Amino acid sequence: MTSADTAVSKEGLTIPLIDFSKFAAGSPEERKETADAILHGFQDAGFIYLKNHPVSADALKHTFARSADFFAQPLEDKLALGWTTPEANRGYSSPGREKVSHHFNSDDVEKERAAAPDLKESFEIGREGEPDHPNHWPAENGSLANWKADMLDFYAQCKALHVEVMRAIGIGMGLGDSFFDNFVDVGDNTLRLLHYPEVKSEVFKINAGQVRAGAHSDYGSITLLFQDQRGGLQVQSPSGQFVDATPIPGTVVVNAGDLLSRWSNDTIKSTVHRVVEPPSQDSTHPPRYSIAYFCNPNFTSQIEVLPGTYKTEADKKYGGINSGDYLVQRLKATY
C-alpha cells in the first residue's frame, strides 16, 4: 500500500491523501516515500490532506469546543481584545474587518471588501512570550476557565507538526531532514480561530460575489487547516474553476503559502482558495468553525531561493527577503 491516496480529483486538480504515520514512525523507505508524496502534492496542487497525524482527535475536539466558547462571548468583550497592528498580528477581528484577497495592493483589497465583506470573525494567537507583542488573552471566567493553557497546548502540538512537515519537504527536495530546523525552531506562527456565523442562503443569492472568505493564497510557508464538517472550502484548479475540498474526518488539510513558493523558486505552488456557501439546500446555513495554524520561517530569517531549484543565478526568480518584513507587508494590505 502506498503512502498516498486521493482526497480530491476534479478539473485537473488532484489533492493527495497521505498517511503521515509512515513518515513519523515508518521505515527509512516509507519515510522517504511519504516525504516525496508530500513534496509532489505541494508541487502539483499546493494542497495535501494528512491522515494519522500527531494532533489527537481529543485535542482537536476540545480546541473546537473552546473556540466556540470564545466566540459565544458578548461582542464588547471580544472587541476589547481587538487586533491592533500587522507587526503584532494578535487579537480579535470582527466580521468585515479583514478581507482576505490575492491582491497585494490595499486599494484593490478595499474594493473587494466593499463589494463583498468576508462573513467571518477570528481570533489570532501568536508566539507567547514576545514582550513587544503580547497575546490578547480573555479573562478566564466561567466557560473560559483555563482557556489560555488549552490554546498554548494546541499551539505547541501544531508547532511540532509544522517542524515535521518541513522535515519531509527537506527530504523530498534532497536537502536533508534537518535543513529547515533552524528556520522554524522559534515558532513565529499564528494560531487562528475562525467562526463563520449562521447565515441565510438568500445572502449569497442577493450578492453573487458574496463568500464567507474571499479568494486568496496564504502568506507564509505552510498552513495547517482543521475543518468542521460543514463544508465550503474550495481550491482553485488549473482550469481556473473552484473545486470543493470536502472535509475528511481525522485529517488536516495542509497548503503551501506564498513565502514557501518564493523560497522554492516557484517549484512549490501557493494555490488560491476560498470559503463559499456550504453545499446544502437549507434556507439557513448553521455556523461554521475552522482552526488555521499559519506557519512561517522565524521572523529573523533571511529567505533565499533554495538550492536545487535553479541552475544559474539568472534562473533565480527572487532576491533575498526577511521573513518578518515580508509577512508584515502582506498583512498591511489585508487589514
Side-chain angles (χ1 to χ4, degrees), residues 206-267:
I206 292 169
N207 184 353
Q210 184 64 65
V211 292
R212 277 179 153 176
H216 65 285
S217 56
D218 291 344
Y219 306 155
S221 52
I222 63 172
T223 301
L224 311 177
L225 178 64
F226 302 92
Q227 305 187 72
D228 67 11
Q229 298 305 303
R230 301 294 185 195
L233 175 66
Q234 293 186 330
V235 178
Q236 192 171 42
S237 72
S239 69
Q241 299 297 311
F242 279 93
V243 174
D244 290 334
T246 304
I248 298 177
T251 66
V252 55
V253 176
V254 188
N255 63 281
D258 296 342
L259 192 52
L260 181 58
S261 181
R262 177 185 178 125
W263 208 353
S264 73
N265 212 30
D266 288 342
T267 59

Side-chain angles (χ1 to χ4, degrees), residues 18 20 24 34 52 59 131 136 189 216-217 220 245 248 296 301 303 317:
I18 299 170
F20 197 68
T34 307
N52 298 324
H136 302 183
N189 307 318
H216 65 285
S217 56
I248 298 177
N296 308 301
S301 294
I303 303 303
K317 296 182 178 181

Side-chain angles (χ1 to χ4, degrees), residues 101-122:
S101 170
H102 61 277
H103 292 298
F104 281 68
N105 183 280
S106 58
D107 291 339
D108 293 333
V109 174
E110 188 54 43
K111 289 177 183 177
E112 285 194 355
R113 190 198 325 269
D118 287 353
L119 302 178
K120 69 179 190 303
E121 56 181 341
S122 65

Side-chain angles (χ1 to χ4, degrees), residues 275-330:
V275 180
V276 298
E277 182 180 11
S280 74
Q281 303 301 315
D282 297 335
S283 61
T284 300
H285 299 300
R288 178 182 187 266
Y289 293 88
S290 66
I291 300 170
Y293 187 80
F294 296 104
C295 306
N296 308 301
N298 301 336
F299 288 164
T300 57
S301 294
Q302 183 72 7
I303 303 303
E304 305 283 351
V305 173
L306 290 167
T309 62
Y310 60 94
K311 292 181 179 179
T312 69
E313 289 295 312
D315 295 327
K316 290 184 179 181
K317 296 182 178 181
Y318 304 100
I321 193 168
N322 171 266
S323 171
D325 290 347
Y326 175 83
L327 292 162
V328 167
Q329 169 194 336
R330 297 298 306 276

